PDB file of all heavy atoms in Angstrom:
ATOM      1  N   ILE A 415     -21.975   2.274   1.898  1.00  0.00           N
ATOM      2  CA  ILE A 415     -21.272   1.472   2.914  1.00  0.00           C
ATOM      3  C   ILE A 415     -22.254   1.155   3.999  1.00  0.00           C
ATOM      4  O   ILE A 415     -22.869   2.068   4.600  1.00  0.00           O
ATOM      5  CB  ILE A 415     -20.085   2.248   3.438  1.00  0.00           C
ATOM      6  CG1 ILE A 415     -18.988   2.363   2.366  1.00  0.00           C
ATOM      7  CG2 ILE A 415     -19.499   1.622   4.705  1.00  0.00           C
ATOM      8  CD1 ILE A 415     -17.808   3.215   2.725  1.00  0.00           C
ATOM      9  N   ASP A 416     -22.412  -0.114   4.287  1.00  0.00           N
ATOM     10  CA  ASP A 416     -23.386  -0.562   5.297  1.00  0.00           C
ATOM     11  C   ASP A 416     -22.933  -0.221   6.675  1.00  0.00           C
ATOM     12  O   ASP A 416     -21.746  -0.349   7.013  1.00  0.00           O
ATOM     13  CB  ASP A 416     -23.627  -2.069   5.179  1.00  0.00           C
ATOM     14  CG  ASP A 416     -24.333  -2.483   3.921  1.00  0.00           C
ATOM     15  OD1 ASP A 416     -25.091  -1.685   3.407  1.00  0.00           O
ATOM     16  OD2 ASP A 416     -24.121  -3.623   3.455  1.00  0.00           O
ATOM     17  N   ARG A 417     -23.843   0.210   7.502  1.00  0.00           N
ATOM     18  CA  ARG A 417     -23.551   0.540   8.896  1.00  0.00           C
ATOM     19  C   ARG A 417     -24.773   0.181   9.706  1.00  0.00           C
ATOM     20  O   ARG A 417     -25.888   0.634   9.381  1.00  0.00           O
ATOM     21  CB  ARG A 417     -23.240   2.008   9.002  1.00  0.00           C
ATOM     22  CG  ARG A 417     -23.124   2.500  10.442  1.00  0.00           C
ATOM     23  CD  ARG A 417     -22.950   4.035  10.458  1.00  0.00           C
ATOM     24  NE  ARG A 417     -23.042   4.581  11.801  1.00  0.00           N
ATOM     25  CZ  ARG A 417     -24.147   4.855  12.455  1.00  0.00           C
ATOM     26  NH1 ARG A 417     -25.345   4.633  11.784  1.00  0.00           N
ATOM     27  NH2 ARG A 417     -24.168   5.338  13.628  1.00  0.00           N
ATOM     28  N   LYS A 418     -24.614  -0.580  10.739  1.00  0.00           N
ATOM     29  CA  LYS A 418     -25.697  -0.939  11.614  1.00  0.00           C
ATOM     30  C   LYS A 418     -26.095   0.280  12.456  1.00  0.00           C
ATOM     31  O   LYS A 418     -25.251   1.081  12.862  1.00  0.00           O
ATOM     32  CB  LYS A 418     -25.318  -2.101  12.542  1.00  0.00           C
ATOM     33  CG  LYS A 418     -25.119  -3.406  11.820  1.00  0.00           C
ATOM     34  CD  LYS A 418     -24.695  -4.497  12.754  1.00  0.00           C
ATOM     35  CE  LYS A 418     -24.458  -5.823  12.010  1.00  0.00           C
ATOM     36  NZ  LYS A 418     -24.008  -6.859  12.962  1.00  0.00           N
ATOM     37  N   GLU A 419     -27.353   0.437  12.701  1.00  0.00           N
ATOM     38  CA  GLU A 419     -27.863   1.553  13.512  1.00  0.00           C
ATOM     39  C   GLU A 419     -27.176   1.567  14.867  1.00  0.00           C
ATOM     40  O   GLU A 419     -27.119   0.540  15.560  1.00  0.00           O
ATOM     41  CB  GLU A 419     -29.378   1.500  13.670  1.00  0.00           C
ATOM     42  CG  GLU A 419     -29.957   2.732  14.268  1.00  0.00           C
ATOM     43  CD  GLU A 419     -29.737   3.971  13.420  1.00  0.00           C
ATOM     44  OE1 GLU A 419     -29.677   3.850  12.174  1.00  0.00           O
ATOM     45  OE2 GLU A 419     -29.574   5.043  14.003  1.00  0.00           O
ATOM     46  N   GLY A 420     -26.682   2.694  15.281  1.00  0.00           N
ATOM     47  CA  GLY A 420     -26.000   2.813  16.553  1.00  0.00           C
ATOM     48  C   GLY A 420     -24.541   2.429  16.541  1.00  0.00           C
ATOM     49  O   GLY A 420     -23.818   2.621  17.524  1.00  0.00           O
ATOM     50  N   GLU A 421     -24.044   1.926  15.421  1.00  0.00           N
ATOM     51  CA  GLU A 421     -22.639   1.536  15.331  1.00  0.00           C
ATOM     52  C   GLU A 421     -21.779   2.717  14.926  1.00  0.00           C
ATOM     53  O   GLU A 421     -21.953   3.294  13.898  1.00  0.00           O
ATOM     54  CB  GLU A 421     -22.525   0.440  14.268  1.00  0.00           C
ATOM     55  CG  GLU A 421     -21.112  -0.166  14.081  1.00  0.00           C
ATOM     56  CD  GLU A 421     -21.125  -1.209  13.031  1.00  0.00           C
ATOM     57  OE1 GLU A 421     -21.714  -1.018  11.940  1.00  0.00           O
ATOM     58  OE2 GLU A 421     -20.496  -2.276  13.242  1.00  0.00           O
ATOM     59  N   ALA A 422     -20.869   3.148  15.794  1.00  0.00           N
ATOM     60  CA  ALA A 422     -20.058   4.338  15.551  1.00  0.00           C
ATOM     61  C   ALA A 422     -18.828   4.004  14.707  1.00  0.00           C
ATOM     62  O   ALA A 422     -18.332   4.880  14.022  1.00  0.00           O
ATOM     63  CB  ALA A 422     -19.630   4.995  16.850  1.00  0.00           C
ATOM     64  N   TYR A 423     -18.315   2.794  14.841  1.00  0.00           N
ATOM     65  CA  TYR A 423     -17.083   2.450  14.123  1.00  0.00           C
ATOM     66  C   TYR A 423     -17.250   1.179  13.364  1.00  0.00           C
ATOM     67  O   TYR A 423     -17.666   0.133  13.893  1.00  0.00           O
ATOM     68  CB  TYR A 423     -15.927   2.313  15.169  1.00  0.00           C
ATOM     69  CG  TYR A 423     -14.585   2.129  14.481  1.00  0.00           C
ATOM     70  CD1 TYR A 423     -13.945   3.211  13.906  1.00  0.00           C
ATOM     71  CD2 TYR A 423     -13.986   0.868  14.366  1.00  0.00           C
ATOM     72  CE1 TYR A 423     -12.716   3.074  13.253  1.00  0.00           C
ATOM     73  CE2 TYR A 423     -12.783   0.736  13.770  1.00  0.00           C
ATOM     74  CZ  TYR A 423     -12.143   1.796  13.182  1.00  0.00           C
ATOM     75  OH  TYR A 423     -10.926   1.676  12.553  1.00  0.00           O
ATOM     76  N   LEU A 424     -16.954   1.260  12.094  1.00  0.00           N
ATOM     77  CA  LEU A 424     -17.010   0.057  11.195  1.00  0.00           C
ATOM     78  C   LEU A 424     -15.571  -0.412  11.029  1.00  0.00           C
ATOM     79  O   LEU A 424     -14.763   0.252  10.398  1.00  0.00           O
ATOM     80  CB  LEU A 424     -17.622   0.475   9.874  1.00  0.00           C
ATOM     81  CG  LEU A 424     -17.815  -0.633   8.836  1.00  0.00           C
ATOM     82  CD1 LEU A 424     -18.886  -1.598   9.301  1.00  0.00           C
ATOM     83  CD2 LEU A 424     -18.277  -0.030   7.492  1.00  0.00           C
ATOM     84  N   PRO A 425     -15.181  -1.570  11.623  1.00  0.00           N
ATOM     85  CA  PRO A 425     -13.802  -1.988  11.596  1.00  0.00           C
ATOM     86  C   PRO A 425     -13.250  -2.191  10.235  1.00  0.00           C
ATOM     87  O   PRO A 425     -12.030  -1.943   9.982  1.00  0.00           O
ATOM     88  CB  PRO A 425     -13.817  -3.300  12.417  1.00  0.00           C
ATOM     89  CG  PRO A 425     -15.076  -3.237  13.209  1.00  0.00           C
ATOM     90  CD  PRO A 425     -16.050  -2.462  12.395  1.00  0.00           C
ATOM     91  N   ASP A 426     -14.091  -2.685   9.308  1.00  0.00           N
ATOM     92  CA  ASP A 426     -13.568  -3.021   7.968  1.00  0.00           C
ATOM     93  C   ASP A 426     -14.635  -2.728   6.947  1.00  0.00           C
ATOM     94  O   ASP A 426     -15.645  -3.386   6.867  1.00  0.00           O
ATOM     95  CB  ASP A 426     -13.155  -4.485   7.896  1.00  0.00           C
ATOM     96  CG  ASP A 426     -12.330  -4.807   6.692  1.00  0.00           C
ATOM     97  OD1 ASP A 426     -11.721  -3.886   6.140  1.00  0.00           O
ATOM     98  OD2 ASP A 426     -12.287  -5.981   6.285  1.00  0.00           O
TER      99      ASP A 426
END
Side-chain angles (χ1 to χ4, degrees):
I415 290 175
D416 291 333
R417 172 186 171 276
K418 294 179 182 178
E419 190 62 34
E421 183 180 44
Y423 188 76
L424 183 66
D426 193 22

